[in-house]
Amino acid sequence: MATPWPENLSTNRVRVIKVLAQGQESATHLQLLLKKPYGEDVFLLADKLVVKIMRSFTEALSLLTSSDFVEILQNQTTSQVDSVCCDDRRSRDSGESKKRPTAKDRRGCYKRKKTSQSFITASSTIEDGYAWRKYGQKEILNAKYPRSYFRCTHKYDHGCKATKQVQRMEEDPQMYRTTYIGHHTCRDILKAPQIIATPDSVSDPWESYMLTSDSNIPTQLDHQRTTIKQEHKEETPLSDLTDNLSSLDPIMWKDLVSFESSAEPAADHYRAVASTTMCTEATSQSDDMDLVVKSIDFDSDFQFDESEFNYLS
DNA sequence: TCAATTTGACCGTG
DNA sequence: CACGGTCAAATTGA
């Protein structure tokens, strides 16, 4: 059994699982789609799915390299490396400080933004077709590369509140991870070609975001257990059940890969070995049964377990 | 000359 | 109190 995760990491962990599962689902969807005869609609949908998959990876990587995860990794390696850390970097910031005399120093007198909508992209270039003005750069704890801060050039003339943070990716220094924060008003008010039109090689991050943010995958985590209801009166042997599951609609059920009984003999409790699925509610019919996935337990380990098969009368 | 960038200070948040 | 986001003076460069 893996070491239990600290409580403050559970939210991030759940998000990583969710994001990866979304990517997996999109990949499966794409796989099935590619088996169909090609048509323009298939191509468009496939393109959309690819964007979704890429976004899942990016977001998951971002979460996994966040300070929370770095922290736990360090704790788990029994802090052998803490002395090497970054004290030099810190002293640069807070240490000797030759204060510049300023007539009316309003620096730092800002209101930190409340959590606004944001999304993350990974790209080989920091160019995205929009006009940005750099307003800061920071060394980030435990990060190899500094983070740069940009605001929209039209912050004052159009009141655009969009900002972005760009940081070279440690896993791949050729790539940049960009976090876009806030609504890019210019997208809506300025229809000038230099704002909206982007070179062919540069894809509009907001365009991609809008394409993929309409995810219809349920994300409710309020249910505490995975419950699979089988609308079938008679007891079904496990082998029959799994056979039936695998013969069901592959898009809906492909994640429910296998089951094993946790009660003897042919009981109504099974342990789901399925690695991931984000469906919190789904139905699927076969000849002799109707299965309903009600919810998924994210409180346990990476794999959800203790799924229940309830026979309905 | 002026817009953009750099850089250290400052402060809110956890 | 440390960290990270923002400010604004100083610097750069077109």
Side-chain angles (χ1 to χ4, degrees):
Chain A
M1 189 60 181
T3 39
W5 295 70
E7 196 161 353
N8 63 337
L9 289 176
S10 61
T11 311
N12 248 5
R13 212 174 119 255
V14 165
R15 280 192 62 201
V16 170
I17 295 169
K18 203 164 75 179
V19 164
L20 285 173
Q22 285 176 359
Q24 189 191 33
E25 178 153 334
S26 297
T28 309
H29 196 167
L30 180 62
Q31 188 182 33
L32 291 165
L33 195 70
L34 293 175
K35 289 177 181 166
K36 292 181 179 176
Y38 279 51
E40 196 176 341
D41 53 336
V42 171
F43 179 81
L44 286 173
L45 186 54
D47 193 52
K48 188 173 166 177
L49 286 167
V50 168
V51 173
K52 265 189 175 181
I53 294 163
M54 293 303 292
R55 199 167 145 240
S56 294
F57 281 129
T58 304
E59 205 171 321
L61 280 170
S62 163
L63 287 164
L64 285 168
T65 53
S66 72
S67 53
D68 280 352
F69 279 85
V70 170
E71 190 180 324
I72 190 170
L73 281 175
Q74 283 180 338
N75 290 344
Q76 281 177 348
T77 51
T78 61
S79 63
Q80 303 135 316
V81 286
D82 49 3
S83 58
V84 197
C85 201
C86 44
D87 287 337
D88 53 340
R89 189 163 42 204
R90 217 173 295 157
S91 60
R92 188 182 64 77
D93 210 20
S94 53
E96 45 78 51
S97 51
K98 48 160 187 153
K99 272 191 187 175
R100 261 182 259 119
T102 51
K104 196 173 68 173
D105 200 345
R106 300 261 310 143
R107 279 180 290 187
C109 302
Y110 65 95
K111 284 275 173 269
R112 185 168 290 198
K113 239 182 293 185
K114 286 283 174 191
T115 52
S116 54
Q117 200 170 33
S118 68
F119 62 97
I120 301 166
T121 68
S123 171
S124 57
T125 171
I126 63 167
E127 289 304 316
D128 56 15
Y130 289 89
W132 299 99
R133 172 101 169 241
K134 189 172 180 177
Y135 66 85
Q137 179 168 309
K138 284 292 278 191
E139 297 288 343
I140 302 301
L141 191 72
N142 294 323
K144 204 171 188 175
Y145 304 105
R147 180 177 300 165
S148 297
Y149 298 88
F150 298 84
R151 60 160 173 83
C152 178
T153 301
H154 305 282
K155 177 178 181 178
Y156 299 115
D157 51 355
H158 288 95
C160 181
K161 293 195 174 77
T163 63
K164 72 170 181 179
Q165 300 174 4
V166 181
Q167 197 168 1
R168 206 178 271 275
M169 292 166 77
E170 285 186 38
E171 321 86 80
D172 183 0
Q174 307 288 80
M175 300 285 284
Y176 296 91
R177 172 175 297 115
T178 304
T179 306
Y180 292 89
I181 302 154
H183 182 57
H184 203 316
T185 327
C186 297
R187 245 196 92 80
D188 305 330
I189 11 177
L190 290 180
K191 297 297 179 190
Q194 69 270 21
I195 304 289
I196 297 303
T198 59
D200 287 346
S201 55
V202 179
S203 65
D204 183 342
W206 266 273
E207 197 67 45
S208 304
Y209 178 63
M210 286 172 185
L211 260 179
T212 57
S213 62
D214 62 344
S215 170
N216 52 8
I217 298 165
T219 55
Q220 59 190 91
L221 301 179
D222 46 343
H223 295 294
Q224 290 302 301
R225 303 189 65 75
T226 297
T227 306
I228 297 177
K229 292 179 179 171
Q230 182 190 10
E231 294 184 356
H232 197 269
K233 287 175 188 149
E234 300 155 23
E235 288 188 346
T236 308
L238 182 62
S239 57
D240 288 358
L241 187 59
T242 52
D243 283 352
N244 280 320
L245 275 173
S246 59
S247 68
L248 295 175
D249 175 3
I251 294 177
M252 203 68 98
W253 293 101
K254 70 106 201 151
D255 283 323
L256 300 172
V257 286
S258 63
F259 293 84
E260 60 187 59
S261 176
S262 65
E264 293 295 338
D268 56 355
H269 283 72
Y270 297 90
R271 176 178 293 269
V273 190
S275 55
T276 58
T277 177
M278 286 303 115
C279 290
T280 52
E281 184 136 17
T283 60
S284 188
Q285 277 85 33
S286 71
D287 288 340
D288 57 347
M289 63 177 172
D290 183 356
L291 295 173
V292 182
V293 178
K294 290 300 287 184
S295 62
I296 285 163
D297 180 8
F298 284 103
D299 284 340
S300 52
D301 209 350
F302 189 87
Q303 299 178 335
F304 62 86
D305 56 14
E306 287 303 333
S307 304
E308 286 181 38
F309 286 9
N310 294 334
Y311 291 74
L312 304 179
S313 52

